[in-house]
Amino acid sequence: MKSLIQRYCFFGVLLLLVVSSGVFAQDAQPSDPSGDQDVIASCLSTIGTCAAKSADNSTLSLQLDRIDRVYTIDSRMTIIVKSSQPGYLYLLDETSTGQIILLLPNRFLPGEEPIEAGKLLTYPAPKMNFNLTVTAPCGREKVYAFVTKEPVEAFQNAIGDVVALLAPDVARKGLTDIVNQLNADAAQVAIKDFEIREKKYPTGPSTDSNAESQEPLTVVLEHSGSLYIDGEYLFARVTSQRTGYLYVLVETDDENGAVLLPNKNCEEYRIEAGQSLLIPSKEDAFRWRIATKNFGIKKISFWLMSKPIDLASELNDSEYLAKVELSIETRAAAKK
């Protein structure tokens, strides 16, 4: 008998937990799945029309962490949402095979409380115990974000251990309720499509420093492993195949994050194509000292942009070149 992971290894976007590797799917099957699929298709078409009409003045913002919205198998995805109204947030994935997956709520974020208006939300946030990891098959998929004034019962009841592959009758009921709320001006909707591609593996060493097979940005931490003790300094070797401006952000105890680069000492950090740099400089090293009260896993991200940007503004395709995200473990110093 196949395990649940084997049975549902075709998920386009799969929630992988830090503490668990199980996969949850609905066991209930409708008596007439073809009829349910027709209703689902009709609902998605209606939702798409509503999203297109309100694209210019939408009060629900949905972004993915990759500006080009292209992901390779096994890469991780982050979803950013901001709503002008409070309500209950639902995130769904429509796979390239037409199935509907409930990403949020889940067991770790049951969605029992409405989200706040005007707050920028990230899923998963650094301290959430799950990741969104892209899996096969390749193709184009869509992420749907909904904010409703009232909970959608069908989706609330479908919360799974990791991810809910919604049975057609459950998807039909939930989407029908959302369409009804949209028609009553009681819901917000936003849609982003993205592409999944095969993961490319190197076939051998390259002799061309500008070979297309090379990553545009690589980062290696100058440390024996990813474990850092309180008080140690973090250094990184950054190599870029494209000329751009480097931005470095790190997770902080309050989860808001801090900008390591640029800063007051270096308002613009430009890196040339083919250049390899060790950062930070000695003068700037104090900003990279490990100092935290909440020890554990921290994320640090390196962004390569085509020009200097305002970090408070929304990014666009022409500005984004590459991103590298790493995780480090922080521990308290041993007591003497």
Side-chain angles (χ1 to χ4, degrees):
M1 183 175 180
K2 290 185 177 181
S3 69
L4 288 177
I5 292 179
Q6 291 172 319
R7 289 171 60 191
Y8 299 112
C9 63
F10 52 80
F11 282 178
V13 175
L14 180 66
L15 285 168
L16 297 183
L17 300 184
V18 173
V19 295
S20 173
S21 61
V23 175
F24 175 86
Q26 294 292 320
D27 290 328
Q29 294 295 328
S31 57
D32 183 11
S34 61
D36 285 318
Q37 293 290 3
D38 291 341
V39 176
I40 291 172
S42 176
C43 287
L44 292 176
S45 176
T46 301
I47 290 167
T49 301
C50 292
K53 288 182 178 179
S54 60
D56 294 335
N57 57 357
S58 175
T59 54
L60 177 60
S61 171
L62 170 64
Q63 297 183 55
L64 304 183
D65 60 331
R66 298 195 179 185
I67 303 302
D68 59 3
R69 302 200 297 275
V70 175
Y71 296 82
T72 56
I73 294 174
D74 294 334
S75 63
R76 292 181 178 179
M77 174 186 290
T78 301
I79 300 174
I80 303 100
V81 177
K82 183 179 180 180
S83 173
S84 64
Q85 301 177 13
Y88 295 86
L89 175 65
Y90 298 91
L91 296 176
L92 278 73
D93 173 45
E94 181 188 3
T95 72
S96 59
T97 59
Q99 292 170 313
I100 305 297
I101 298 174
L102 179 64
L103 303 178
L104 194 75
N106 56 58
R107 182 165 66 92
F108 288 86
L109 287 175
E112 296 171 347
E113 299 294 330
I115 63 172
E116 297 180 26
K119 186 174 182 180
L120 194 66
L121 304 171
T122 300
Y123 298 98
K127 293 187 178 180
M128 295 178 184
N129 290 329
F130 65 90
N131 291 311
L132 287 173
T133 300
V134 176
T135 63
C138 297
R140 299 205 69 85
E141 303 199 357
K142 291 181 181 179
V143 172
Y144 292 80
F146 305 99
V147 174
T148 62
K149 291 184 178 180
E150 301 295 333
V152 180
E153 184 177 357
F155 292 158
Q156 290 294 143
N157 295 336
I159 295 175
D161 287 341
V162 181
V163 64
L165 171 63
L166 296 180
D169 58 338
V170 177
R172 170 187 53 77
K173 180 65 169 63
L175 291 172
T176 299
D177 288 347
I178 285 179
V179 168
N180 290 337
Q181 293 197 42
L182 281 170
N183 292 333
D185 295 325
Q188 301 175 74
V189 58
I191 305 173
K192 287 288 184 184
D193 65 333
F194 63 97
E195 183 180 356
I196 300 176
R197 295 179 182 176
E198 290 282 356
K199 185 176 182 179
K200 293 184 178 180
Y201 296 91
T203 57
S206 173
T207 58
D208 182 1
S209 61
N210 294 315
E212 292 184 359
S213 60
Q214 290 188 328
E215 295 293 334
L217 184 69
T218 57
V219 179
V220 178
L221 298 179
E222 295 284 309
H223 197 284
S224 56
S226 59
L227 174 62
Y228 288 80
I229 306 301
D230 189 33
E232 291 185 334
Y233 292 86
L234 191 154
F235 290 88
R237 172 68 62 179
V238 179
T239 305
S240 177
Q241 301 303 325
R242 302 183 66 177
T243 298
Y245 294 84
L246 189 64
Y247 292 78
V248 183
L249 292 81
V250 65
E251 176 191 356
T252 57
D253 289 345
D254 60 8
E255 298 188 16
N256 289 328
V259 180
L260 298 179
L261 279 179
N263 53 56
K264 292 182 179 179
N265 293 336
C266 182
E267 295 184 358
E268 292 183 3
Y269 202 97
R270 181 182 171 92
I271 185 170
E272 301 294 332
Q275 191 173 16
S276 182
L277 299 173
L278 180 64
I279 56 174
S281 63
K282 291 182 179 179
E283 296 77 14
D284 212 29
F286 71 95
R287 301 178 189 274
W288 297 61
R289 182 174 179 269
I290 303 298
T292 179
K293 296 180 180 178
N294 297 328
F295 298 101
I297 303 298
K298 303 288 183 182
K299 291 184 179 180
I300 179 169
S301 58
F302 298 76
W303 295 72
L304 184 65
M305 312 302 295
S306 62
K307 61 182 181 180
I309 62 168
D310 179 0
L311 289 172
S313 301
E314 184 173 328
L315 304 179
N316 60 56
D317 293 355
S318 63
E319 297 170 336
Y320 173 86
L321 296 178
K323 174 190 173 185
V324 174
E325 186 174 81
L326 302 174
S327 294
I328 62 172
E329 182 181 357
T330 59
R331 293 183 186 177
K335 295 182 179 180
K336 296 181 179 180

